[in-house]
């Protein structure tokens, strides 16, 4: 099976002006693009750039600096998420990505919430996720819940393993609330990639790819992406594979490596 692909144009094509990255990704064979923030962009111009390039927009982050695990932020979180859904509709994006903790510049976790117990964090996240699912079902914009690594990029993030994310989405039971499985993050946190895919793959709505360590293109680290793709195929995954990675040298070289797999 050949998966449809998405290029994260915040990390790839950084040598080009942002609006030129849509056409570059299309030329290189990607089916979609994705990016991190929508609030710093002119959405009408973004939509026009994607349409001119003939490439889809798979999604972007939907929660900015707000946290699922803070019960005091529930209403503000959902209000911003609704704005993100409207932004997704405006540009024709398929999904938004959501996280347990608010993220600042460079993906730094803004608040570790050390004063809250894990019980409070988990219950608050589950309670708000049920509302996220309802918003997704009403809007037609999927929510993808992403666990992040806590060793390198997102120290202090609460949602750090695939099982917790998949068990919550499975319990909620909405086809519009799924897991974003980032292979790089989860290799750093938990390993056992293929076992995890077999156990939780029915809950995956989007895949992120980067090699570990380094967060560069496949072939630069320790992950056997041939086996990863075979395992995704074996569990019937039919979503997009997104490449959220930083080229080890150049985007051109990274794309060659990506497409060789």
């Amino acid at each position: 099976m050949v998966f449809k692909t998405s290029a994260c144009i915040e990390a790839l094509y950084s040598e080009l002006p942002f609006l030129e990255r849509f056409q570059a990704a299309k030329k290189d064979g990607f089916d979609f693009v994705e990016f991190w923030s929508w609030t710093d962009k002119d959405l009408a111009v973004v939509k026009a750039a994607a349409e001119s390039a003939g490439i889809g927009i798979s999604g972007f982050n939907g929660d900015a600096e707000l946290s699922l695990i803070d019960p005091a932020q529930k209403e503000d979180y959902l209000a911003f998420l609704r704005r993100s859904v409207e932004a997704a509709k405006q540009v024709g994006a398929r999904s938004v990505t959501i996280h347990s903790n608010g993220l600042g510049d460079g993906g730094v976790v803004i608040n570790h919430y050390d004063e809250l117990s894990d019980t409070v964090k988990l219950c608050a996240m589950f309670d708000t996720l049920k509302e996220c699912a309802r918003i997704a079902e009403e809007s037609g914009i999927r929510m993808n819940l992403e666990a992040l690594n806590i060793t390198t990029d997102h120290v202090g993030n609460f949602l750090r393993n695939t099982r917790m994310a998949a068990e919550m989405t499975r319990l909620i039971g909405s086809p519009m609330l799924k897991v974003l499985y980032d292979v790089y993050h989860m290799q750093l946190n938990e390993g056992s990639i293929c076992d995890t895919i077999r156990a939780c793959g029915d809950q995956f709505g989007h895949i992120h790819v980067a090699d570990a360590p380094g967060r560069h293109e496949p072939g630069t680290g320790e992950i056997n992406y041939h086996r990863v793709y075979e395992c995704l195929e074996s569990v019937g995954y039919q979503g997009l594979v997104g490449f959220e990675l930083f080229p080890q040298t150049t985007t051109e070289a990274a794309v060659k490596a990506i497409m060789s797999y």
Side-chain angles (χ1 to χ4, degrees):
M1 177 178 180
V2 178
F3 297 107
K4 289 191 174 182
T5 56
S6 176
C8 177
I9 55 173
E10 304 273 15
L12 290 166
Y13 304 103
S14 61
E15 68 276 11
L16 298 174
F18 185 76
L19 294 176
E20 294 180 18
R21 300 176 194 180
F22 295 82
Q23 186 63 56
K26 177 66 175 181
K27 182 180 178 181
D28 281 339
F30 291 101
D31 303 293
F32 292 83
V33 296
E34 55 190 84
F35 44 87
W36 292 327
S37 173
W38 63 267
T39 56
D40 58 349
K41 297 174 177 64
D42 184 323
L43 297 181
V45 174
V46 166
K47 180 181 181 181
E51 289 179 345
S52 176
I55 197 166
I57 298 176
S58 64
F60 45 76
N61 291 340
D63 44 16
E65 299 179 355
L66 296 164
S67 299
L68 278 169
I69 60 174
D70 182 354
Q73 288 192 359
K74 178 179 179 180
E75 295 308 317
D76 288 340
Y77 185 97
L78 293 173
F80 186 83
L81 184 63
R82 291 186 183 97
R83 290 179 57 205
S84 297
V85 164
E86 291 306 311
K89 288 181 178 179
Q90 184 175 340
V91 300
R94 295 158 49 120
S95 67
V96 298
T97 305
I98 55 179
H99 307 87
S100 64
N101 296 62
L103 304 176
D105 292 342
V108 173
V109 174
I110 296 170
N111 191 336
H112 297 188
Y113 291 102
D114 293 331
E115 74 279 10
L116 298 180
S117 69
D118 285 356
T119 301
V120 169
K121 294 173 184 177
L122 184 61
C123 290
M125 180 160 54
F126 186 77
D127 180 56
T128 304
L129 280 173
K130 290 189 291 185
E131 294 299 313
C132 295
R134 183 179 60 80
I135 293 170
E137 290 170 0
E138 291 174 352
S139 66
I141 303 297
R142 173 181 281 171
M143 311 288 169
N144 289 318
L145 176 65
E146 183 178 22
L148 303 173
N149 84 73
I150 59 169
T151 66
T152 308
D153 304 293
H154 308 286
V155 175
N157 197 66
F158 177 67
L159 183 59
R160 59 193 65 175
N161 67 73
T162 310
R163 180 177 176 179
M164 180 185 286
E167 286 182 342
M168 284 192 291
T169 60
R170 195 175 284 134
L171 282 170
I172 292 169
S174 171
M176 297 300 289
L177 175 67
K178 293 294 182 180
V179 172
L180 193 166
Y181 181 66
D182 188 305
V183 183
Y184 160 77
H185 287 314
M186 294 303 98
Q187 172 66 3
L188 294 181
N189 277 3
E190 61 190 20
S192 299
I193 293 170
C194 289
D195 285 344
T196 300
I197 291 171
R198 284 187 283 266
C200 303
D202 64 298
Q203 292 301 302
F204 293 173
H206 194 75
I207 303 295
H208 271 171
V209 162
D211 216 333
R215 206 172 188 176
H216 304 308
E217 58 270 24
T220 58
E222 64 193 11
I223 301 174
N224 185 335
Y225 269 104
H226 290 297
R227 292 290 179 88
V228 171
Y229 296 146
E230 288 172 358
C231 193
L232 286 169
E233 183 176 7
S234 74
V235 301
Y237 179 73
Q238 296 183 350
L240 302 182
V241 173
F243 295 87
E244 187 187 48
L245 56 86
F246 298 94
Q248 188 174 56
T249 55
T250 65
T251 297
E252 181 181 6
V255 169
K256 286 181 180 178
I258 287 167
M259 296 305 176
S260 74
Y261 280 77

